[in-house]
Amino acid sequence: MYTHVFSTKKNGVSNGTLYKKTFIEHFEQAPMYVAVLTFVGFGVGTIFGYLRDFMRAWGLEKRNIAEEREQQKDFVPLYQDFENFYTRNLYMRIRDNWNRPICSVPGPQFDLMERVTDDYNWTFRFTGRTIKNVINMGSYNYLGFAETEPTALKTVTKELQKYGTGICSTRQEMGTLDKHVELEKLVAKFLGVDDAMVFGMGFATNSMNIPALVGKGCLILSDELNHTSLVLGARLSGATIRIFKHNNMQSLEKLLRDAIIYGQPRSRRAWRKIIILVEGIYSMEGSIVRLPEIVSLKKKYKAYLYLDEAHSIGAVGATGRGVVEYFGMSPDDVDVLMGTFTKSFGAAGGYIAGKKDLVDFLRTHSHSAVYATSMCPPVAEQIIRAMKCLMGLDGTTQGLQRVRQLGKNTRYFRRRLHEMGFIIYGNDDSPVVPLLLYMPGKIGAFARRMLEKNIGVVVVGFPATPITESRARFCVSAAHTREMLDTVLNALDELGDFLQLKYSRYSKSSHPELYEETRFELED
Amino acid sequence: MDFKSMKYYLYWLYCQFELITCSYLMEPWEKLLFYTFNITMLVMISYTAYLFIPVHISTAFQFFLHLLGNQHENAVSVVK
């Protein structure tokens, strides 16, 4: 659990003039009784897990899960570790809250397929009905570009009719279209860098390009809570990986100093390259990276910076250009700018942008460019139209309005949740809002009851989060209206009281005007 | 949240117990087993408390009285 409660850095205090505006993040720790009760819940769940495993082993109960064949029973057991135990006995009980199929565009409201289970979540069947107009608080639709209006998608349909959907080739063979060249120029102009390259899949952008940039003899300093794509890319590259504590600059500086003083482990030679892997917004915590401090550290110790702006591009910043603009810094400070088009642009794919030498190198040496199919043309056109809308090139101010609406919605939602007394993690400006639930029994109850009220949320537990800190993660969108947010907040208020989720010890009263009237002075 | 009646309040307390001990997630036969075990333990502990606590309290009371200098009731007798 995090140890500091409120972390506030104002101008002129600890970092001098590095931060141009206040940087407030919350990582409140819950009261002690919550931790105790969480462990009680997990204890009971574990005891019953052992009981069920015992019954399955002795044939008293039908086995529905994966297990070894009879001939393999004398070999090393495959399914006895904690993760499999947890999946069999705890995850299966609340499995109906995940992988829910949807049958409409994931806009601010969507339709769900109704499904029921007859044997406690081992199998599901669809009843054939759909649940209509469920408020969507889980999709990464930050700017609301996931829409089906014909006027908005005019150019996309035109390109679909011109190019079709398949590319049937890789970038280096015959898969580079004029659409890709146009898109890359537009991305470079949007971010304010020399050049950019786009890939068909966001996860593959990270995992296939980091091995091209670093290799053996290099050092990777990666944040504790980095996404799996960054971890996979780092491991595939073969470089040495060291982890620093989440957003903790003292930890990072210590690692950098040790790396420069001691060099490589046995030969004590200098590292060929030191690269720092961070994300713009961390999707499970809602925290924003401390970019000014990292850039000053990187300049001091001559390291490189790889910034993954998957969630922050389009979502933060005055005109939606990501964390670089949010902190008022220049894009030349960051060596490799990476991002995805899945979240704010309503499309699929990723990009890497930076100096021209870097992008030219990646065009020839990246696994993704050589072997993976390139982005499909209608998707590229969707990104082009979304980016033109954001930059104002289509003649309207709709893009800027969307960014402002997202900022307003984020601040309103977070302020109301703080006032109600929930524990919310993360920075005040990030559209990802994790609400802490802690106890395992409440994960299932929360998701089911919210669906009954026609609101779809994403709940997260172990292994994506630490085992005692399960949470519900809301993604605010520019397409949400005030009424939708108010509906959700009222439902949360009610549910928070019923399930006792308001653990915060620092909540302000939500009706301060009621207490003002009692103060008056009698004049004698 | 409005506590409409005592019954609603008791139902709400029962829901809290279910959520905290994960019995909300259990199948009916598991719940039966869990509640039987809990109620049995509760009954046994309360019965033990009912039998032994008064005796313990009065023994402790007498011990402290003796410590503070008061004589035992039996030691004081009317001698004619």
Side-chain angles (χ1 to χ4, degrees):
Chain A
M1 296 214 183
Y2 297 96
T3 48
H4 59 279
V5 175
F6 282 106
S7 165
T8 318
K9 284 197 159 78
K10 291 196 166 53
N11 281 339
V13 178
S14 39
N15 290 310
T17 50
L18 271 181
Y19 289 87
K20 299 187 176 71
K21 53 177 156 180
T22 57
F23 186 88
I24 305 179
E25 287 200 336
H26 308 275
F27 289 106
E28 191 183 333
Q29 215 181 10
M32 181 59 85
Y33 74 87
V34 173
V36 170
L37 292 177
T38 313
F39 282 117
V40 163
F42 272 112
V44 173
T46 316
I47 291 174
F48 274 92
Y50 281 129
L51 176 71
R52 297 292 289 267
D53 273 350
F54 172 77
M55 287 173 57
R56 281 189 205 112
W58 284 83
L60 295 164
E61 192 191 338
K62 195 161 82 87
R63 287 173 208 166
N64 287 324
I65 36 86
E67 54 169 14
E68 304 106 323
R69 291 202 308 263
E70 270 310 309
Q71 302 93 321
Q72 291 173 323
K73 286 275 160 81
D74 291 326
F75 288 79
V76 173
L78 293 171
Y79 301 111
Q80 271 186 14
D81 57 341
F82 180 68
E83 294 233 355
N84 281 305
F85 175 81
Y86 178 87
T87 311
R88 269 198 306 266
N89 297 311
L90 286 165
Y91 172 74
M92 278 295 171
R93 293 178 194 268
I94 39 176
R95 194 165 78 119
D96 59 313
N97 298 314
W98 289 285
N99 303 333
R100 291 188 189 137
I102 70 176
C103 47
S104 75
V105 67
Q109 288 180 324
F110 61 163
D111 302 334
L112 282 178
M113 294 176 75
E114 195 184 357
R115 61 178 187 171
V116 293
T117 173
D118 300 316
D119 50 357
Y120 299 104
N121 295 342
W122 288 101
T123 55
F124 292 105
R125 71 186 158 84
F126 295 105
T127 58
R129 284 190 291 267
T130 54
I131 310 175
K132 295 226 173 268
N133 288 336
V134 180
I135 298 183
N136 185 359
M137 294 306 290
S139 294
Y140 306 132
N141 184 19
Y142 298 132
L143 293 175
F145 280 117
E147 53 197 355
T148 47
E149 268 174 73
T151 45
L153 297 179
K154 233 181 2 198
T155 46
V156 179
T157 27
K158 202 156 63 77
E159 299 303 322
L160 179 63
Q161 281 164 350
K162 180 175 169 194
Y163 289 100
T165 50
I167 296 265
C168 314
S169 185
T170 67
R171 281 301 289 262
Q172 284 194 357
E173 289 175 10
M174 278 199 285
T176 305
L177 305 177
D178 51 350
K179 272 280 156 245
H180 295 137
V181 175
E182 188 189 337
L183 176 57
E184 284 169 5
K185 287 210 185 74
L186 193 62
V187 170
K189 192 164 146 205
F190 178 68
L191 295 169
V193 287
D194 288 343
D195 202 359
M197 180 172 181
V198 300
F199 304 92
M201 182 179 164
F203 187 99
T205 311
N206 268 334
S207 48
M208 297 293 117
N209 286 308
I210 297 180
L213 294 172
V214 289
K216 260 198 158 66
C218 301
L219 176 65
I220 294 183
L221 298 172
S222 122
D223 191 292
E224 206 178 18
L225 299 174
N226 267 341
H227 191 251
T228 316
S229 55
L230 289 164
V231 172
L232 187 63
R235 286 183 189 167
L236 277 176
S237 66
T240 314
I241 308 176
R242 304 228 170 115
I243 317 268
F244 63 93
K245 294 204 179 54
H246 177 61
N247 243 357
N248 187 333
M249 298 299 114
Q250 286 79 23
S251 173
L252 177 59
E253 179 155 23
K254 179 170 184 317
L255 282 179
L256 276 166
R257 290 178 83 93
D258 285 344
I260 303 225
I261 294 171
Y262 296 112
Q264 297 191 31
R266 276 187 297 264
S267 58
R268 299 291 196 211
R269 276 187 227 162
W271 293 101
R272 276 177 39 207
K273 238 183 272 190
I274 302 181
I275 192 165
I276 306 174
L277 293 184
V278 285
E279 290 187 38
I281 292 185
Y282 291 90
S283 62
M284 275 306 148
E285 314 290 312
S287 51
I288 299 187
V289 65
R290 295 184 193 280
L291 197 62
E293 293 176 63
I294 293 193
V295 168
S296 64
L297 274 177
K298 128 183 145 73
K299 285 187 179 148
K300 180 174 172 188
Y301 293 101
K302 309 233 180 354
Y304 296 103
L305 180 59
Y306 183 107
L307 180 65
D308 176 346
E309 289 202 86
H311 285 269
S312 53
I313 190 77
V316 290
T319 55
R321 279 162 166 81
V323 279
V324 171
E325 192 192 19
Y326 176 74
F327 287 111
M329 308 181 62
S330 127
D332 297 327
D333 291 331
V334 183
D335 301 294
V336 188
L337 281 158
M338 178 265 168
T340 60
F341 300 116
T342 338
K343 277 83 183 188
S344 304
F345 297 95
Y351 67 86
I352 288 204
K355 302 242 167 355
K356 192 160 186 336
D357 308 341
L358 169 78
V359 180
D360 284 344
F361 177 81
L362 281 177
R363 281 191 214 276
T364 42
H365 289 88
S366 158
H367 293 289
S368 198
V370 180
Y371 298 109
T373 325
S374 43
M375 190 185 274
C376 110
V379 171
E381 181 54 37
Q382 157 74 4
I383 304 168
I384 291 176
R385 78 130 185 129
M387 225 173 235
K388 280 193 175 151
C389 180
L390 260 187
M391 290 162 78
L393 293 176
D394 60 345
T396 68
T397 54
Q398 205 197 54
L400 209 53
Q401 275 171 6
R402 282 180 194 246
V403 177
R404 297 236 171 93
Q405 182 67 31
L406 176 65
K408 269 202 296 227
N409 282 353
T410 307
R411 281 189 292 274
Y412 175 67
F413 198 67
R414 274 179 175 268
R415 180 176 61 86
R416 284 289 304 271
L417 284 177
H418 271 298
E419 279 169 10
M420 283 187 207
F422 293 101
I423 294 188
I424 311 284
Y425 274 7
N427 195 305
D428 276 340
D429 285 318
S430 95
V432 179
V433 185
L435 191 153
L436 274 278
L437 297 173
Y438 294 107
M439 292 171 209
K442 295 191 184 181
I443 307 175
F446 186 81
R448 283 178 201 151
R449 278 170 197 263
M450 288 297 267
L451 189 60
E452 277 166 28
K453 293 186 202 273
N454 239 20
I455 301 171
V457 296
V458 170
V459 283
V460 202
F462 182 79
T465 64
I467 196 161
T468 44
E469 286 177 23
S470 48
R471 56 199 75 175
R473 186 184 65 178
F474 298 101
C475 292
V476 185
S477 158
H480 284 135
T481 59
R482 222 10 129 82
E483 291 82 33
M484 284 186 215
L485 287 183
D486 281 335
T487 319
V488 175
L489 285 164
N490 290 334
L492 279 175
D493 201 2
E494 231 180 278
L495 210 54
D497 282 328
F498 184 77
L499 295 176
Q500 285 285 290
L501 291 172
K502 298 189 178 176
Y503 302 118
S504 177
R505 287 171 285 194
Y506 301 97
S507 65
K508 304 180 271 258
S509 164
S510 51
H511 299 285
E513 61 272 10
L514 286 177
Y515 299 98
E516 296 297 306
E517 288 143 22
T518 56
R519 273 193 260 128
F520 61 92
E521 273 164 3
L522 291 169
E523 262 127 29
D524 282 328
Chain B
M1 175 175 47
D2 51 336
F3 290 115
K4 296 185 269 286
S5 60
M6 195 59 187
K7 224 166 67 142
Y8 185 78
Y9 181 65
L10 288 174
Y11 168 70
W12 179 78
L13 274 182
Y14 169 68
C15 276
Q16 295 305 305
F17 172 76
E18 267 203 330
L19 283 171
I20 290 174
T21 56
C22 281
S23 46
Y24 173 80
L25 309 174
M26 293 180 195
E27 299 172 23
W29 63 269
E30 287 174 330
K31 264 195 202 170
L32 190 66
L33 203 65
F34 185 60
Y35 289 160
T36 315
F37 174 76
N38 274 2
I39 291 176
T40 316
M41 291 303 293
L42 208 64
V43 165
M44 287 203 301
I45 290 172
S46 56
Y47 182 64
T48 315
Y50 170 74
L51 281 186
F52 285 107
I53 287 188
V55 178
H56 279 148
I57 289 182
S58 65
T59 321
F61 188 58
Q62 283 172 3
F63 175 74
F64 280 118
L65 273 181
H66 184 69
L67 209 57
L68 289 170
N70 283 353
Q71 285 170 319
H72 245 245
E73 282 174 16
N74 299 338
V76 175
S77 51
V78 178
V79 176
K80 233 202 191 160

